[in-house]
Amino acid sequence: MERTLCIIKPDAVKKKVQGKILQMILDAGFEIKGIKYITLTKSQAQKFYEIHRGKPFYEDLVEYMTSGPCIPVALEKENAVNDYRALIGSTDPAEAAEGTVRKLFAESKSYNAVHGSDSVENGINEVNFFFAEYELI
Ligand code: CMP
């Protein structure tokens, strides 16, 4: 079993498509181990996206991720990291495959509806970033 972190981002929450995205995730066979509704602080967003610090889009990314509520979701499934990445599609919705979450709901490469962990190691670390063990069923 693998864990991966989904974040339903502020643009998707503002559009009220979080229910549709969660249904797609459940229909794809993922188990929701933890879920919460939060507004990230600036320092939380900076820390979560630390790896992107210094890139041209970093400041805008932090501003966007703190612009409203988002929904971190801890997911579990065999091959969760790759299967979830396939479900959400490419970072840029223009390049995302038909039927993927980002093709359906993302506005742009910046406002791209959902986050997904990019490796098994990051899946574990990112789930632990948002959830204490007692918050995971
Ligand atoms: P995410 O999967 O959350 O991981 C990093 C985020 O940075 C990414 O989704 C996008 O929201 C954003 N991002 C990545 N690359 C770019 C880019 N070239 N321009 C703007 N935003 C980007």
Side-chain angles (χ1 to χ4, degrees):
M1 278 295 177
E2 262 174 37
R3 283 182 180 175
T4 192
L5 183 80
C6 155
I7 306 176
I8 302 177
K9 296 184 175 185
D11 59 310
V13 174
K14 269 182 206 128
K15 282 162 66 179
K16 300 188 192 296
V17 293
Q18 60 269 51
K20 289 179 180 163
I21 294 172
L22 286 169
Q23 193 62 57
M24 288 177 75
I25 289 170
L26 292 168
D27 288 346
F30 291 87
E31 193 176 336
I32 294 176
K33 301 292 288 181
I35 183 163
K36 55 177 70 170
Y37 227 126
I38 59 171
T39 302
L40 284 171
T41 64
K42 188 174 178 185
S43 70
Q44 281 175 315
Q46 285 173 328
K47 194 170 165 205
F48 185 75
Y49 283 114
E50 187 63 35
I51 194 169
H52 296 297
R53 192 184 283 271
K55 293 184 183 165
F57 58 84
Y58 178 74
E59 298 299 334
D60 286 347
L61 176 61
V62 169
E63 194 178 320
Y64 153 55
M65 289 302 293
T66 56
S67 67
C70 67
I71 307 175
V73 191
L75 299 174
E76 194 171 87
K77 183 184 181 296
E78 272 177 32
N79 204 33
V81 172
N82 284 334
D83 285 0
Y84 176 72
R85 288 175 73 76
L87 180 70
I88 63 176
S90 301
T91 304
D92 186 345
E95 291 166 14
E98 290 299 327
T100 58
V101 173
R102 284 172 171 155
K103 188 69 174 186
L104 289 167
F105 302 117
E107 301 287 329
S108 65
K109 200 169 188 175
S110 305
Y111 305 122
N112 63 352
V114 284
H115 168 79
S117 307
D118 65 1
S119 68
V120 174
E121 189 187 358
N122 280 342
I124 295 165
N125 292 338
E126 290 180 357
V127 165
N128 292 340
F129 183 94
F130 283 104
F131 295 94
E133 202 52 43
Y134 75 89
E135 295 176 298
L136 298 165
I137 58 163

